[in-house]
């Protein structure tokens, strides 16, 4: 018994796992079961409706016969036909009992037919509800799975490595910019030194030119007295 219970429990657990993995199949099975029940109920309801129609016709026939026998009994009584009257009374009573039975049966069948129709409507509504629920729940399941896949993808992505790589790239770019600025500054200083040397040379040349001019003027002044003496 314990082993049987163990197997039943394991099988039930396996079935539940399969159902969780394939909810669409579970809904299809439930809908299929209700459709099968609906078809059986519809067949039974059709039989009840047929019997009600048949009983209705039989009741109408027996009621008509009862009315005809009643008229015949009235005629027999008027003509003092006791033998015929007694026979017709027996016939009338039997027909009356049959009419009562048929009326009771027809009333019961009518009640059962109404119940069958209500059950048919209820089953049909349940089938439609399950089909709508199946579409709605499977859509929710698909959305939930998509969100889980997206979350798993986000969890699987490590941004630390990307951040470190970006920081290294930024540092490298900043170093290159700093080196460029230093090179430009060094280049500007060298240019200034060269321009300074050029200006110094130019000033020296200008000073030497002025010195030569001063010497020339001096030499001219010194040469004038010598010329007067020679004259």
């Amino acid at each position: 018994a314990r082993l049987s219970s163990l197997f039943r429990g394991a099988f039930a657990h396996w079935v539940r796992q399969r159902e969780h993995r394939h909810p669409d199949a579970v809904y299809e099975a439930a809908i299929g079961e209700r459709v099968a029940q609906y078809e059986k109920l519809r067949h039974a309801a059709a039989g009840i409706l047929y019997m009600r129609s048949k009983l209705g016709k039989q009741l109408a026939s027996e009621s008509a016969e009862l009315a005809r026998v009643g008229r015949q009994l009235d005629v027999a009584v008027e003509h003092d036909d006791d033998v015929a009257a007694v026979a017709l009374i027996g016939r009338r009573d039997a027909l009356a009992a049959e009419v009562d039975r048929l009326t009771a049966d027809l009333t019961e069948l009518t009640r059962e037919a109404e119940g069958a129709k209500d059950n048919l409507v209820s089953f049909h509504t349940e089938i439609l509800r399950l089909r709508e629920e199946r579409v709605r729940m499977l859509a929710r399941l698909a959305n939930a799975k998509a969100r889980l896949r997206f979350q798993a993808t986000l969890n699987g992505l490590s941004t630390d490595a990307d951040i470190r790589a970006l920081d290294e790239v930024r540092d490298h770019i900043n170093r290159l910019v700093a080196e460029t600025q230093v090179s430009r500054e060094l280049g500007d200083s060298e240019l200034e030194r060269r321009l300074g040397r050029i200006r110094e040379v130019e000033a020296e040349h200008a000073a030497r030119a002025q010195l030569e001019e001063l010497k020339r003027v001096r030499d001219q002044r010194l040469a004038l007295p010598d010329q007067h003496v020679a004259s």
Side-chain angles (χ1 to χ4, degrees):
R2 293 176 59 187
L3 185 60
S4 176
S5 299
L6 178 62
F7 279 120
R8 284 198 301 269
F11 179 74
H13 179 68
W14 179 81
V15 170
R16 284 194 298 270
Q17 286 183 333
R18 298 288 294 179
E19 289 175 345
H20 292 166
R21 293 176 183 174
H22 304 282
D24 190 15
V26 177
Y27 272 102
E28 285 295 334
I31 293 172
E33 181 179 355
R34 281 162 177 75
V35 169
Q37 293 173 351
Y38 175 81
E39 291 298 327
K40 291 180 180 179
L41 184 60
R42 188 170 65 87
H43 182 72
I48 292 174
L49 292 175
Y50 170 75
M51 289 300 299
R52 186 182 68 172
S53 176
K54 183 178 179 180
L55 279 178
K57 292 178 181 179
Q58 188 176 356
L59 177 60
S61 176
E62 294 295 331
S63 297
E65 181 65 16
L66 178 60
R68 188 178 66 83
V69 169
R71 290 192 299 271
Q72 291 177 351
L73 178 59
D74 291 339
V75 172
V77 171
E78 288 179 2
H79 290 80
D80 294 326
D81 190 347
D82 295 342
V83 175
V86 170
L88 289 171
I89 289 173
R91 176 66 176 162
R92 184 198 63 184
D93 292 344
L95 286 171
E98 182 66 12
V99 167
D100 291 341
R101 184 188 67 80
L102 290 174
T103 301
D105 290 345
L106 183 60
T107 301
E108 182 66 21
L109 278 177
T110 300
R111 184 166 57 251
E112 291 180 2
E114 293 299 325
K117 287 193 293 185
D118 291 340
N119 287 330
L120 281 174
V121 172
S122 177
F123 266 88
H124 188 262
T125 303
E126 178 68 11
I127 291 171
L128 293 179
R129 186 191 66 79
L130 278 178
R131 286 174 175 169
E132 293 175 355
E133 179 183 333
R134 170 182 171 273
V135 174
R136 185 173 62 255
M137 295 302 291
L138 290 180
R140 292 183 62 188
L141 177 62
N143 291 334
K145 287 183 177 179
R147 290 196 299 269
L148 287 175
R149 287 194 299 269
F150 178 71
Q151 189 63 39
T153 302
L154 287 180
N155 293 335
L157 294 177
S158 176
T159 59
D160 294 339
D162 295 336
I163 292 175
R164 287 195 298 271
L166 287 174
D167 289 339
E168 292 177 359
V169 169
R170 294 189 185 104
D171 291 340
H172 179 66
I173 293 173
N174 291 331
R175 284 196 298 270
L176 289 178
V177 171
E179 291 176 2
T180 302
Q181 292 176 348
V182 170
S183 298
R184 186 171 61 249
E185 291 175 358
L186 292 176
D188 292 343
S189 299
E190 181 65 23
L191 179 62
E192 287 296 330
R193 284 196 296 272
R194 291 181 180 180
L195 292 176
R197 286 196 297 270
I198 292 173
R199 285 193 294 269
E200 290 175 359
V201 171
E202 184 180 4
E204 183 179 356
H205 288 171
R208 287 185 178 276
Q210 291 178 9
L211 177 60
E212 292 296 330
E213 180 65 22
L214 291 174
K215 288 181 178 181
R216 187 182 64 78
V217 172
R218 184 200 62 183
D219 291 341
Q220 288 179 353
R221 285 199 306 267
L222 292 175
L224 286 176
D226 293 339
Q227 291 177 357
H228 288 298
V229 172
S231 302

mmCIF file of all heavy atoms in Angstrom, residues 164-183:
data_model
loop_
_atom_site.group_PDB
_atom_site.id
_atom_site.type_symbol
_atom_site.label_atom_id
_atom_site.label_comp_id
_atom_site.label_asym_id
_atom_site.label_seq_id
_atom_site.Cartn_x
_atom_site.Cartn_y
_atom_site.Cartn_z
ATOM 1 N N ARG A 164 34.525 49.821 -16.226
ATOM 2 C CA ARG A 164 35.983 49.898 -16.119
ATOM 3 C C ARG A 164 36.614 50.211 -17.475
ATOM 4 O O ARG A 164 37.551 51.011 -17.573
ATOM 5 C CB ARG A 164 36.531 48.583 -15.566
ATOM 6 C CG ARG A 164 36.257 48.374 -14.082
ATOM 7 C CD ARG A 164 37.139 47.263 -13.540
ATOM 8 N NE ARG A 164 36.867 45.991 -14.193
ATOM 9 C CZ ARG A 164 35.954 45.124 -13.783
ATOM 10 N NH1 ARG A 164 35.213 45.400 -12.714
ATOM 11 N NH2 ARG A 164 35.765 43.979 -14.422
ATOM 12 N N ALA A 165 36.103 49.571 -18.525
ATOM 13 C CA ALA A 165 36.648 49.828 -19.858
ATOM 14 C C ALA A 165 36.431 51.279 -20.261
ATOM 15 O O ALA A 165 37.326 51.929 -20.818
ATOM 16 C CB ALA A 165 35.991 48.891 -20.876
ATOM 17 N N LEU A 166 35.240 51.807 -19.967
ATOM 18 C CA LEU A 166 34.978 53.210 -20.289
ATOM 19 C C LEU A 166 35.885 54.140 -19.499
ATOM 20 O O LEU A 166 36.383 55.145 -20.029
ATOM 21 C CB LEU A 166 33.506 53.538 -20.008
ATOM 22 C CG LEU A 166 32.488 52.963 -20.996
ATOM 23 C CD1 LEU A 166 31.072 53.232 -20.509
ATOM 24 C CD2 LEU A 166 32.684 53.565 -22.380
ATOM 25 N N ASP A 167 36.101 53.824 -18.222
ATOM 26 C CA ASP A 167 36.997 54.653 -17.415
ATOM 27 C C ASP A 167 38.411 54.643 -17.983
ATOM 28 O O ASP A 167 39.087 55.687 -18.035
ATOM 29 C CB ASP A 167 37.012 54.151 -15.970
ATOM 30 C CG ASP A 167 35.698 54.444 -15.259
ATOM 31 O OD1 ASP A 167 34.975 55.351 -15.725
ATOM 32 O OD2 ASP A 167 35.405 53.773 -14.254
ATOM 33 N N GLU A 168 38.874 53.459 -18.409
ATOM 34 C CA GLU A 168 40.213 53.382 -18.982
ATOM 35 C C GLU A 168 40.304 54.185 -20.274
ATOM 36 O O GLU A 168 41.306 54.867 -20.532
ATOM 37 C CB GLU A 168 40.571 51.916 -19.240
ATOM 38 C CG GLU A 168 40.762 51.106 -17.952
ATOM 39 C CD GLU A 168 41.033 49.643 -18.248
ATOM 40 O OE1 GLU A 168 41.051 49.289 -19.452
ATOM 41 O OE2 GLU A 168 41.226 48.865 -17.298
ATOM 42 N N VAL A 169 39.245 54.092 -21.104
ATOM 43 C CA VAL A 169 39.244 54.872 -22.344
ATOM 44 C C VAL A 169 39.257 56.361 -22.036
ATOM 45 O O VAL A 169 39.987 57.146 -22.669
ATOM 46 C CB VAL A 169 38.014 54.497 -23.203
ATOM 47 C CG1 VAL A 169 37.845 55.471 -24.362
ATOM 48 C CG2 VAL A 169 38.164 53.085 -23.739
ATOM 49 N N ARG A 170 38.439 56.772 -21.056
ATOM 50 C CA ARG A 170 38.416 58.193 -20.687
ATOM 51 C C ARG A 170 39.788 58.647 -20.185
ATOM 52 O O ARG A 170 40.265 59.737 -20.534
ATOM 53 C CB ARG A 170 37.348 58.431 -19.615
ATOM 54 C CG ARG A 170 35.916 58.209 -20.095
ATOM 55 C CD ARG A 170 34.913 58.665 -19.049
ATOM 56 N NE ARG A 170 33.551 58.351 -19.434
ATOM 57 C CZ ARG A 170 32.843 57.354 -18.930
ATOM 58 N NH1 ARG A 170 33.385 56.566 -18.002
ATOM 59 N NH2 ARG A 170 31.605 57.134 -19.326
ATOM 60 N N ASP A 171 40.428 57.814 -19.335
ATOM 61 C CA ASP A 171 41.759 58.169 -18.837
ATOM 62 C C ASP A 171 42.758 58.291 -19.981
ATOM 63 O O ASP A 171 43.588 59.221 -20.009
ATOM 64 C CB ASP A 171 42.244 57.110 -17.840
ATOM 65 C CG ASP A 171 41.449 57.151 -16.549
ATOM 66 O OD1 ASP A 171 40.809 58.196 -16.284
ATOM 67 O OD2 ASP A 171 41.454 56.143 -15.817
ATOM 68 N N HIS A 172 42.684 57.351 -20.927
ATOM 69 C CA HIS A 172 43.603 57.395 -22.059
ATOM 70 C C HIS A 172 43.395 58.665 -22.885
ATOM 71 O O HIS A 172 44.364 59.341 -23.278
ATOM 72 C CB HIS A 172 43.388 56.159 -22.931
ATOM 73 C CG HIS A 172 44.268 56.121 -24.147
ATOM 74 N ND1 HIS A 172 45.640 55.995 -24.076
ATOM 75 C CD2 HIS A 172 43.955 56.222 -25.476
ATOM 76 C CE1 HIS A 172 46.146 56.004 -25.298
ATOM 77 N NE2 HIS A 172 45.143 56.141 -26.165
ATOM 78 N N ILE A 173 42.125 59.003 -23.125
ATOM 79 C CA ILE A 173 41.830 60.218 -23.889
ATOM 80 C C ILE A 173 42.317 61.449 -23.143
ATOM 81 O O ILE A 173 42.920 62.365 -23.733
ATOM 82 C CB ILE A 173 40.318 60.314 -24.170
ATOM 83 C CG1 ILE A 173 39.898 59.192 -25.135
ATOM 84 C CG2 ILE A 173 39.948 61.668 -24.758
ATOM 85 C CD1 ILE A 173 38.400 59.093 -25.337
ATOM 86 N N ASN A 174 42.073 61.488 -21.832
ATOM 87 C CA ASN A 174 42.522 62.640 -21.049
ATOM 88 C C ASN A 174 44.043 62.764 -21.063
ATOM 89 O O ASN A 174 44.593 63.871 -21.123
ATOM 90 C CB ASN A 174 42.016 62.521 -19.609
ATOM 91 C CG ASN A 174 40.501 62.695 -19.528
ATOM 92 O OD1 ASN A 174 39.913 63.399 -20.353
ATOM 93 N ND2 ASN A 174 39.878 62.068 -18.541
ATOM 94 N N ARG A 175 44.743 61.612 -21.000
ATOM 95 C CA ARG A 175 46.207 61.665 -21.062
ATOM 96 C C ARG A 175 46.682 62.199 -22.409
ATOM 97 O O ARG A 175 47.616 63.007 -22.480
ATOM 98 C CB ARG A 175 46.789 60.271 -20.806
ATOM 99 C CG ARG A 175 46.755 59.850 -19.340
ATOM 100 C CD ARG A 175 47.675 58.663 -19.102
ATOM 101 N NE ARG A 175 47.248 57.496 -19.860
ATOM 102 C CZ ARG A 175 46.400 56.582 -19.413
ATOM 103 N NH1 ARG A 175 45.877 56.724 -18.196
ATOM 104 N NH2 ARG A 175 46.067 55.543 -20.148
ATOM 105 N N LEU A 176 46.020 61.730 -23.489
ATOM 106 C CA LEU A 176 46.395 62.228 -24.810
ATOM 107 C C LEU A 176 46.159 63.727 -24.924
ATOM 108 O O LEU A 176 46.986 64.464 -25.492
ATOM 109 C CB LEU A 176 45.596 61.491 -25.890
ATOM 110 C CG LEU A 176 45.968 60.027 -26.131
ATOM 111 C CD1 LEU A 176 45.052 59.422 -27.195
ATOM 112 C CD2 LEU A 176 47.424 59.908 -26.567
ATOM 113 N N VAL A 177 45.031 64.194 -24.394
ATOM 114 C CA VAL A 177 44.747 65.633 -24.428
ATOM 115 C C VAL A 177 45.792 66.403 -23.634
ATOM 116 O O VAL A 177 46.286 67.454 -24.069
ATOM 117 C CB VAL A 177 43.327 65.902 -23.886
ATOM 118 C CG1 VAL A 177 43.088 67.397 -23.711
ATOM 119 C CG2 VAL A 177 42.280 65.312 -24.830
ATOM 120 N N ALA A 178 46.160 65.871 -22.454
ATOM 121 C CA ALA A 178 47.174 66.547 -21.634
ATOM 122 C C ALA A 178 48.515 66.585 -22.351
ATOM 123 O O ALA A 178 49.219 67.607 -22.340
ATOM 124 C CB ALA A 178 47.304 65.832 -20.288
ATOM 125 N N GLU A 179 48.878 65.444 -22.981
ATOM 126 C CA GLU A 179 50.139 65.422 -23.715
ATOM 127 C C GLU A 179 50.121 66.423 -24.865
ATOM 128 O O GLU A 179 51.123 67.090 -25.149
ATOM 129 C CB GLU A 179 50.402 64.012 -24.238
ATOM 130 C CG GLU A 179 50.713 63.003 -23.136
ATOM 131 C CD GLU A 179 50.878 61.601 -23.697
ATOM 132 O OE1 GLU A 179 50.786 61.457 -24.935
ATOM 133 O OE2 GLU A 179 51.098 60.670 -22.898
ATOM 134 N N THR A 180 48.969 66.526 -25.532
ATOM 135 C CA THR A 180 48.855 67.487 -26.631
ATOM 136 C C THR A 180 49.022 68.910 -26.127
ATOM 137 O O THR A 180 49.708 69.745 -26.744
ATOM 138 C CB THR A 180 47.493 67.327 -27.317
ATOM 139 O OG1 THR A 180 47.361 65.989 -27.779
ATOM 140 C CG2 THR A 180 47.353 68.275 -28.492
ATOM 141 N N GLN A 181 48.390 69.202 -24.980
ATOM 142 C CA GLN A 181 48.524 70.541 -24.411
ATOM 143 C C GLN A 181 49.969 70.837 -24.020
ATOM 144 O O GLN A 181 50.486 71.931 -24.267
ATOM 145 C CB GLN A 181 47.604 70.678 -23.194
ATOM 146 C CG GLN A 181 46.123 70.671 -23.554
ATOM 147 C CD GLN A 181 45.245 70.706 -22.327
ATOM 148 O OE1 GLN A 181 45.720 70.515 -21.209
ATOM 149 N NE2 GLN A 181 43.956 70.948 -22.545
ATOM 150 N N VAL A 182 50.622 69.838 -23.409
ATOM 151 C CA VAL A 182 52.022 70.037 -23.019
ATOM 152 C C VAL A 182 52.889 70.264 -24.242
ATOM 153 O O VAL A 182 53.755 71.150 -24.280
ATOM 154 C CB VAL A 182 52.518 68.826 -22.206
ATOM 155 C CG1 VAL A 182 54.031 68.900 -22.004
ATOM 156 C CG2 VAL A 182 51.809 68.773 -20.864
ATOM 157 N N SER A 183 52.645 69.436 -25.282
ATOM 158 C CA SER A 183 53.433 69.593 -26.504
ATOM 159 C C SER A 183 53.216 70.968 -27.113
ATOM 160 O O SER A 183 54.158 71.616 -27.587
ATOM 161 C CB SER A 183 53.062 68.507 -27.511
ATOM 162 O OG SER A 183 53.353 67.223 -26.982
#
